[in-house]
Amino acid sequence: SITGTVGGQQALARLITDARAGTIAGLTITAADAALAGGTTRLGPGGQDGVIRVETTQEQSYADTLELAADTTLNSRGNLTFTGAVQGDGVPGRDLAVNSVGDTQFTAGVANLASLSTDTALTGGELHINGATTVATQTYGEATTTLSGSFTGNRFEVKGDSVIAGPTTITMASDTVSFRKSINAKNSSIDSMLTITSGTATTPRGTINLDGAIGDRTKLSGLLVTGGTVNAAATIQTAGDLAITGTA
């Protein structure tokens, strides 16, 4: 929680408060970086519309755990870096939208959110994310998204090219999984097994869309796909196991 002085020695930010809605209604940083560190940084409660917004003309760097106590939008004209975990505060329905002109990196993963979206409003660089857990949707809009770890939720979409940087498992409850462009391994020396599942044996299987070429530059270690309908629009090349279960 932010309870002390912001910009005490040098004016760094404009802080807008609304006692009716909570301690912090919105925070807009226009002249310097937003570098918040030291244990846990908590953003929220939100303003009159229930949303926290952090906007910077340069980079944003969060070195500790970032806890969201409201729907949150982070906009940066530089890079966005999350060294610690990013998580909701335990209240259902927390959404996070991240937009960056530069690169965005989630080092420790994302958890306990309703939805996660990146680069929905700005023309960004690359996204690096090491796992995410949401109740609903995950949407990644960068030109290149580098994935590793475990992703769980209900709906998943990568709009740009995908790079698999380690064993990656995508498990959605019942809705669509979509890779809109190519999928390649980061390099041939790593374990780049990709496992994609929508639904279970006792719940409806969702559609899985593989719209781009897979392994056309660097082959995946393997690819295991299980869904209701599986749409593969281009060639698939792997160095190891390849199994697709579903209706073509």
Side-chain angles (χ1 to χ4, degrees):
S1 299
I2 299 175
T3 57
T5 301
V6 177
Q9 296 181 347
Q10 181 178 357
L12 297 178
R14 177 167 59 91
L15 181 64
I16 305 169
T17 62
D18 185 342
R20 295 168 300 175
T23 304
I24 299 175
L27 176 63
T28 304
I29 299 175
T30 58
D33 297 352
L36 309 177
T40 298
T41 297
R42 188 172 189 265
L43 297 181
Q48 287 181 312
D49 62 354
V51 179
I52 285 289
R53 295 179 178 85
V54 178
E55 301 184 12
T56 61
T57 56
Q58 300 181 44
E59 70 177 16
Q60 293 181 38
S61 178
Y62 300 90
D64 57 348
T65 297
L66 182 64
E67 184 178 87
L68 307 181
D71 292 347
T72 302
T73 299
L74 305 177
N75 293 330
S76 173
R77 293 289 171 181
N79 296 331
L80 263 166
T81 304
F82 303 89
T83 304
V86 180
Q87 62 192 34
D89 63 349
V91 176
R94 302 302 192 204
D95 298 327
L96 173 61
V98 175
N99 305 299
S100 173
V101 171
D103 295 340
T104 300
Q105 180 160 344
F106 293 90
T107 300
V110 180
N112 202 24
L113 296 178
S115 67
L116 170 64
S117 61
T118 65
D119 198 26
T120 57
L122 304 173
T123 302
E126 297 185 2
L127 168 68
H128 300 260
I129 183 166
N130 184 25
T133 300
T134 61
V135 175
T137 61
Q138 297 178 34
T139 306
Y140 305 110
E142 282 77 6
T144 302
T145 295
T146 298
L147 303 167
S148 62
S150 176
F151 298 81
T152 61
N154 192 52
R155 186 182 184 95
F156 182 96
E157 182 178 21
V158 178
K159 295 184 177 181
D161 293 315
S162 298
V163 176
I164 306 303
T168 302
T169 302
I170 298 166
T171 306
M172 296 294 117
S174 61
D175 211 331
T176 304
V177 176
S178 299
F179 286 86
R180 297 305 184 186
K181 293 188 178 180
S182 68
I183 306 173
N184 283 279
K186 184 176 181 179
N187 59 62
S188 59
S189 64
I190 64 171
D191 182 354
S192 56
M193 172 65 75
L194 175 59
T195 303
I196 305 171
T197 304
S198 178
T200 69
T202 59
T203 61
R205 298 284 191 183
T207 298
I208 297 176
N209 299 308
L210 305 173
D211 295 343
I214 300 175
D216 61 324
R217 292 190 298 273
T218 306
K219 295 178 182 178
L220 301 180
S221 300
L223 176 64
L224 304 177
V225 179
T226 304
T229 299
V230 179
N231 300 312
T235 59
I236 299 176
Q237 302 180 64
T238 65
D241 294 340
L242 172 61
I244 298 178
T245 303
T247 303

Short mmCIF file of all heavy atoms in Angstrom, two decimals, residues 2-52:
data_model
loop_
_atom_site.label_atom_id
_atom_site.label_comp_id
_atom_site.label_asym_id
_atom_site.label_seq_id
_atom_site.Cartn_x
_atom_site.Cartn_y
_atom_site.Cartn_z
N ILE A 2 0.48 2.28 -0.69
CA ILE A 2 1.20 3.55 -0.68
C ILE A 2 0.58 4.42 0.40
O ILE A 2 -0.54 4.89 0.27
CB ILE A 2 1.13 4.23 -2.06
CG1 ILE A 2 1.79 3.32 -3.11
CG2 ILE A 2 1.82 5.58 -2.03
CD1 ILE A 2 1.68 3.85 -4.51
N THR A 3 1.34 4.63 1.48
CA THR A 3 0.82 5.41 2.60
C THR A 3 1.70 6.61 2.91
O THR A 3 1.30 7.48 3.68
CB THR A 3 0.69 4.54 3.86
OG1 THR A 3 1.97 3.97 4.16
CG2 THR A 3 -0.30 3.42 3.64
N GLY A 4 2.91 6.67 2.36
CA GLY A 4 3.82 7.77 2.67
C GLY A 4 3.80 8.83 1.59
O GLY A 4 2.81 9.04 0.90
N THR A 5 4.95 9.52 1.46
CA THR A 5 5.05 10.64 0.54
C THR A 5 5.48 10.17 -0.83
O THR A 5 6.40 9.35 -0.95
CB THR A 5 6.06 11.67 1.07
OG1 THR A 5 5.62 12.11 2.35
CG2 THR A 5 6.18 12.86 0.13
N VAL A 6 4.85 10.66 -1.86
CA VAL A 6 5.25 10.41 -3.24
C VAL A 6 5.89 11.69 -3.77
O VAL A 6 5.27 12.74 -3.78
CB VAL A 6 4.05 10.03 -4.12
CG1 VAL A 6 4.49 9.84 -5.57
CG2 VAL A 6 3.40 8.76 -3.60
N GLY A 7 7.16 11.61 -4.21
CA GLY A 7 7.83 12.78 -4.74
C GLY A 7 8.13 13.82 -3.69
O GLY A 7 7.99 15.01 -3.92
N GLY A 8 8.59 13.39 -2.49
CA GLY A 8 8.82 14.33 -1.41
C GLY A 8 9.96 15.29 -1.67
O GLY A 8 9.91 16.46 -1.29
N GLN A 9 11.05 14.82 -2.30
CA GLN A 9 12.19 15.67 -2.58
C GLN A 9 12.15 16.27 -3.97
O GLN A 9 12.69 17.35 -4.23
CB GLN A 9 13.49 14.87 -2.41
CG GLN A 9 13.70 14.39 -0.97
CD GLN A 9 15.00 13.62 -0.83
OE1 GLN A 9 15.61 13.24 -1.81
NE2 GLN A 9 15.41 13.38 0.41
N GLN A 10 11.51 15.55 -4.89
CA GLN A 10 11.39 16.05 -6.26
C GLN A 10 10.05 15.58 -6.80
O GLN A 10 9.68 14.41 -6.66
CB GLN A 10 12.53 15.52 -7.14
CG GLN A 10 12.47 16.02 -8.58
CD GLN A 10 13.64 15.50 -9.40
OE1 GLN A 10 14.50 14.81 -8.89
NE2 GLN A 10 13.65 15.82 -10.68
N ALA A 11 9.33 16.48 -7.42
CA ALA A 11 8.00 16.13 -7.92
C ALA A 11 8.11 15.11 -9.02
O ALA A 11 8.66 15.36 -10.09
CB ALA A 11 7.29 17.38 -8.44
N LEU A 12 7.62 13.89 -8.76
CA LEU A 12 7.71 12.80 -9.72
C LEU A 12 6.36 12.40 -10.27
O LEU A 12 6.29 11.79 -11.32
CB LEU A 12 8.34 11.56 -9.06
CG LEU A 12 9.78 11.68 -8.56
CD1 LEU A 12 10.20 10.38 -7.90
CD2 LEU A 12 10.71 12.02 -9.72
N ALA A 13 5.30 12.70 -9.56
CA ALA A 13 4.02 12.10 -9.93
C ALA A 13 2.87 13.03 -9.57
O ALA A 13 3.00 13.94 -8.77
CB ALA A 13 3.84 10.77 -9.21
N ARG A 14 1.77 12.74 -10.20
CA ARG A 14 0.52 13.41 -9.84
C ARG A 14 -0.38 12.36 -9.22
O ARG A 14 -0.68 11.33 -9.84
CB ARG A 14 -0.15 14.01 -11.09
CG ARG A 14 -1.49 14.66 -10.79
CD ARG A 14 -1.93 15.51 -11.99
NE ARG A 14 -2.06 14.70 -13.19
CZ ARG A 14 -3.18 14.11 -13.56
NH1 ARG A 14 -4.26 14.22 -12.82
NH2 ARG A 14 -3.23 13.40 -14.67
N LEU A 15 -0.78 12.57 -8.00
CA LEU A 15 -1.58 11.60 -7.26
C LEU A 15 -2.99 12.12 -7.10
O LEU A 15 -3.20 13.22 -6.59
CB LEU A 15 -0.95 11.35 -5.88
CG LEU A 15 -1.66 10.33 -4.97
CD1 LEU A 15 -1.60 8.97 -5.61
CD2 LEU A 15 -1.01 10.33 -3.61
N ILE A 16 -3.95 11.34 -7.53
CA ILE A 16 -5.36 11.72 -7.44
C ILE A 16 -6.02 10.79 -6.44
O ILE A 16 -5.95 9.57 -6.58
CB ILE A 16 -6.05 11.61 -8.81
CG1 ILE A 16 -5.30 12.43 -9.86
CG2 ILE A 16 -7.50 12.04 -8.73
CD1 ILE A 16 -5.77 12.16 -11.26
N THR A 17 -6.67 11.34 -5.44
CA THR A 17 -7.33 10.51 -4.44
C THR A 17 -8.82 10.79 -4.41
O THR A 17 -9.28 11.87 -4.77
CB THR A 17 -6.73 10.75 -3.04
OG1 THR A 17 -6.95 12.11 -2.67
CG2 THR A 17 -5.24 10.46 -3.02
N ASP A 18 -9.54 9.80 -3.97
CA ASP A 18 -10.99 9.93 -3.85
C ASP A 18 -11.40 9.17 -2.60
O ASP A 18 -11.40 7.95 -2.58
CB ASP A 18 -11.67 9.34 -5.09
CG ASP A 18 -13.17 9.54 -5.09
OD1 ASP A 18 -13.73 9.82 -4.01
OD2 ASP A 18 -13.79 9.41 -6.15
N ALA A 19 -11.72 9.88 -1.55
CA ALA A 19 -12.01 9.25 -0.27
C ALA A 19 -13.24 8.35 -0.34
O ALA A 19 -13.38 7.42 0.44
CB ALA A 19 -12.21 10.32 0.80
N ARG A 20 -14.11 8.61 -1.29
CA ARG A 20 -15.31 7.79 -1.41
C ARG A 20 -14.98 6.42 -1.98
O ARG A 20 -15.68 5.45 -1.72
CB ARG A 20 -16.33 8.48 -2.31
CG ARG A 20 -16.87 9.78 -1.76
CD ARG A 20 -17.64 10.53 -2.83
NE ARG A 20 -16.79 10.84 -3.97
CZ ARG A 20 -17.23 11.41 -5.09
NH1 ARG A 20 -18.51 11.68 -5.22
NH2 ARG A 20 -16.39 11.68 -6.07
N ALA A 21 -13.92 6.34 -2.77
CA ALA A 21 -13.63 5.09 -3.45
C ALA A 21 -12.45 4.35 -2.85
O ALA A 21 -12.30 3.16 -3.05
CB ALA A 21 -13.34 5.39 -4.93
N GLY A 22 -11.57 5.01 -2.11
CA GLY A 22 -10.42 4.34 -1.55
C GLY A 22 -9.24 5.29 -1.46
O GLY A 22 -9.34 6.47 -1.78
N THR A 23 -8.11 4.78 -1.03
CA THR A 23 -6.94 5.62 -0.80
C THR A 23 -6.39 6.19 -2.10
O THR A 23 -6.05 7.37 -2.18
CB THR A 23 -5.85 4.81 -0.09
OG1 THR A 23 -6.39 4.28 1.12
CG2 THR A 23 -4.66 5.68 0.25
N ILE A 24 -6.30 5.35 -3.12
CA ILE A 24 -5.70 5.79 -4.38
C ILE A 24 -6.72 5.61 -5.49
O ILE A 24 -7.16 4.50 -5.77
CB ILE A 24 -4.44 4.98 -4.72
CG1 ILE A 24 -3.39 5.17 -3.62
CG2 ILE A 24 -3.87 5.39 -6.05
CD1 ILE A 24 -2.17 4.32 -3.81
N ALA A 25 -7.10 6.73 -6.10
CA ALA A 25 -8.02 6.64 -7.23
C ALA A 25 -7.27 6.43 -8.52
O ALA A 25 -7.72 5.71 -9.40
CB ALA A 25 -8.86 7.91 -7.32
N GLY A 26 -6.10 7.04 -8.67
CA GLY A 26 -5.30 6.85 -9.87
C GLY A 26 -3.93 7.43 -9.69
O GLY A 26 -3.74 8.36 -8.90
N LEU A 27 -2.95 6.88 -10.37
CA LEU A 27 -1.59 7.37 -10.29
C LEU A 27 -1.05 7.51 -11.70
O LEU A 27 -0.99 6.53 -12.44
CB LEU A 27 -0.71 6.40 -9.49
CG LEU A 27 0.79 6.74 -9.40
CD1 LEU A 27 0.99 8.05 -8.67
CD2 LEU A 27 1.54 5.63 -8.69
N THR A 28 -0.67 8.74 -12.09
CA THR A 28 -0.12 8.98 -13.41
C THR A 28 1.26 9.58 -13.25
O THR A 28 1.40 10.66 -12.68
CB THR A 28 -1.00 9.95 -14.22
OG1 THR A 28 -2.31 9.42 -14.30
CG2 THR A 28 -0.44 10.13 -15.62
N ILE A 29 2.29 8.86 -13.72
CA ILE A 29 3.66 9.32 -13.64
C ILE A 29 4.08 9.74 -15.04
O ILE A 29 4.10 8.92 -15.96
CB ILE A 29 4.59 8.22 -13.10
CG1 ILE A 29 4.14 7.81 -11.70
CG2 ILE A 29 6.04 8.69 -13.07
CD1 ILE A 29 4.91 6.67 -11.12
N THR A 30 4.41 11.01 -15.19
CA THR A 30 4.65 11.53 -16.54
C THR A 30 6.07 12.01 -16.76
O THR A 30 6.46 12.24 -17.88
CB THR A 30 3.71 12.71 -16.82
OG1 THR A 30 3.93 13.72 -15.83
CG2 THR A 30 2.27 12.27 -16.78
N ALA A 31 6.88 12.12 -15.67
CA ALA A 31 8.20 12.70 -15.83
C ALA A 31 9.34 11.76 -15.50
O ALA A 31 10.48 12.06 -15.77
CB ALA A 31 8.33 13.94 -14.93
N ALA A 32 9.04 10.63 -14.88
CA ALA A 32 10.12 9.72 -14.49
C ALA A 32 9.60 8.30 -14.40
O ALA A 32 8.43 8.02 -14.61
CB ALA A 32 10.70 10.16 -13.15
N ASP A 33 10.52 7.39 -14.07
CA ASP A 33 10.18 5.98 -14.02
C ASP A 33 9.34 5.65 -12.80
O ASP A 33 9.43 6.32 -11.77
CB ASP A 33 11.46 5.13 -13.96
CG ASP A 33 12.31 5.29 -15.20
OD1 ASP A 33 11.85 5.93 -16.16
OD2 ASP A 33 13.43 4.78 -15.18
N ALA A 34 8.57 4.57 -12.92
CA ALA A 34 7.85 4.04 -11.76
C ALA A 34 8.61 2.82 -11.28
O ALA A 34 8.49 1.75 -11.84
CB ALA A 34 6.43 3.65 -12.14
N ALA A 35 9.48 2.98 -10.30
CA ALA A 35 10.28 1.87 -9.78
C ALA A 35 9.86 1.63 -8.34
O ALA A 35 10.19 2.40 -7.45
CB ALA A 35 11.76 2.19 -9.85
N LEU A 36 9.10 0.58 -8.12
CA LEU A 36 8.54 0.29 -6.81
C LEU A 36 9.10 -1.04 -6.33
O LEU A 36 9.01 -2.04 -7.02
CB LEU A 36 7.00 0.21 -6.89
CG LEU A 36 6.31 1.40 -7.57
CD1 LEU A 36 4.82 1.13 -7.64
CD2 LEU A 36 6.59 2.69 -6.82
N ALA A 37 9.73 -1.05 -5.15
CA ALA A 37 10.36 -2.27 -4.68
C ALA A 37 10.28 -2.36 -3.17
O ALA A 37 10.07 -1.38 -2.48
CB ALA A 37 11.83 -2.31 -5.13
N GLY A 38 10.50 -3.59 -2.63
CA GLY A 38 10.61 -3.74 -1.18
C GLY A 38 9.52 -4.59 -0.57
O GLY A 38 8.70 -4.10 0.19
N GLY A 39 9.49 -5.89 -0.88
CA GLY A 39 8.51 -6.78 -0.28
C GLY A 39 7.30 -6.97 -1.18
O GLY A 39 7.34 -7.72 -2.13
N THR A 40 6.22 -6.26 -0.89
CA THR A 40 5.01 -6.34 -1.69
C THR A 40 4.51 -4.93 -2.00
O THR A 40 4.35 -4.11 -1.10
CB THR A 40 3.90 -7.11 -0.95
OG1 THR A 40 4.35 -8.46 -0.72
CG2 THR A 40 2.63 -7.16 -1.78
N THR A 41 4.27 -4.67 -3.26
CA THR A 41 3.65 -3.42 -3.68
C THR A 41 2.19 -3.71 -3.97
O THR A 41 1.87 -4.60 -4.76
CB THR A 41 4.33 -2.85 -4.94
OG1 THR A 41 5.68 -2.54 -4.63
CG2 THR A 41 3.62 -1.59 -5.41
N ARG A 42 1.31 -2.96 -3.32
CA ARG A 42 -0.13 -3.20 -3.47
C ARG A 42 -0.77 -2.00 -4.16
O ARG A 42 -0.63 -0.87 -3.72
CB ARG A 42 -0.78 -3.41 -2.10
CG ARG A 42 -2.23 -3.87 -2.13
CD ARG A 42 -2.68 -4.24 -0.72
NE ARG A 42 -3.98 -4.87 -0.70
CZ ARG A 42 -5.12 -4.24 -0.49
NH1 ARG A 42 -5.12 -2.92 -0.31
NH2 ARG A 42 -6.27 -4.88 -0.48
N LEU A 43 -1.43 -2.27 -5.27
CA LEU A 43 -2.13 -1.23 -6.01
C LEU A 43 -3.63 -1.37 -5.76
O LEU A 43 -4.21 -2.41 -6.03
CB LEU A 43 -1.84 -1.33 -7.51
CG LEU A 43 -0.40 -1.13 -7.95
CD1 LEU A 43 -0.29 -1.24 -9.48
CD2 LEU A 43 0.15 0.21 -7.49
N GLY A 44 -4.26 -0.29 -5.27
CA GLY A 44 -5.69 -0.31 -5.02
C GLY A 44 -6.01 0.24 -3.64
O GLY A 44 -5.10 0.50 -2.85
N PRO A 45 -7.28 0.45 -3.35
CA PRO A 45 -8.46 0.25 -4.20
C PRO A 45 -8.50 1.21 -5.38
O PRO A 45 -7.69 2.12 -5.47
CB PRO A 45 -9.64 0.51 -3.25
CG PRO A 45 -9.07 0.54 -1.88
CD PRO A 45 -7.65 0.95 -2.03
N GLY A 46 -9.47 0.99 -6.26
CA GLY A 46 -9.58 1.79 -7.45
C GLY A 46 -10.34 3.09 -7.22
O GLY A 46 -10.77 3.40 -6.13
N GLY A 47 -10.47 3.86 -8.30
CA GLY A 47 -11.19 5.13 -8.25
C GLY A 47 -12.67 4.93 -8.41
O GLY A 47 -13.22 3.87 -8.14
N GLN A 48 -13.33 5.97 -8.91
CA GLN A 48 -14.78 5.92 -9.04
C GLN A 48 -15.23 4.82 -10.00
O GLN A 48 -16.29 4.24 -9.84
CB GLN A 48 -15.30 7.28 -9.50
CG GLN A 48 -15.26 8.34 -8.40
CD GLN A 48 -15.82 9.66 -8.89
OE1 GLN A 48 -15.46 10.15 -9.96
NE2 GLN A 48 -16.72 10.24 -8.11
N ASP A 49 -14.40 4.53 -11.02
CA ASP A 49 -14.75 3.46 -11.95
C ASP A 49 -14.15 2.13 -11.52
O ASP A 49 -14.24 1.14 -12.24
CB ASP A 49 -14.32 3.81 -13.37
CG ASP A 49 -12.81 3.99 -13.51
OD1 ASP A 49 -12.11 3.95 -12.47
OD2 ASP A 49 -12.33 4.17 -14.64
N GLY A 50 -13.50 2.10 -10.36
CA GLY A 50 -12.96 0.86 -9.83
C GLY A 50 -11.66 0.41 -10.44
O GLY A 50 -11.23 -0.73 -10.21
N VAL A 51 -10.97 1.27 -11.18
CA VAL A 51 -9.77 0.88 -11.91
C VAL A 51 -8.57 1.70 -11.44
O VAL A 51 -8.67 2.92 -11.25
CB VAL A 51 -9.96 1.07 -13.43
CG1 VAL A 51 -8.69 0.70 -14.19
CG2 VAL A 51 -11.13 0.24 -13.93
N ILE A 52 -7.42 1.03 -11.26
CA ILE A 52 -6.14 1.69 -11.03
C ILE A 52 -5.43 1.84 -12.36
O ILE A 52 -5.36 0.88 -13.15
CB ILE A 52 -5.27 0.87 -10.06
CG1 ILE A 52 -5.78 1.02 -8.63
CG2 ILE A 52 -3.81 1.31 -10.13
CD1 ILE A 52 -5.54 2.37 -8.02
#
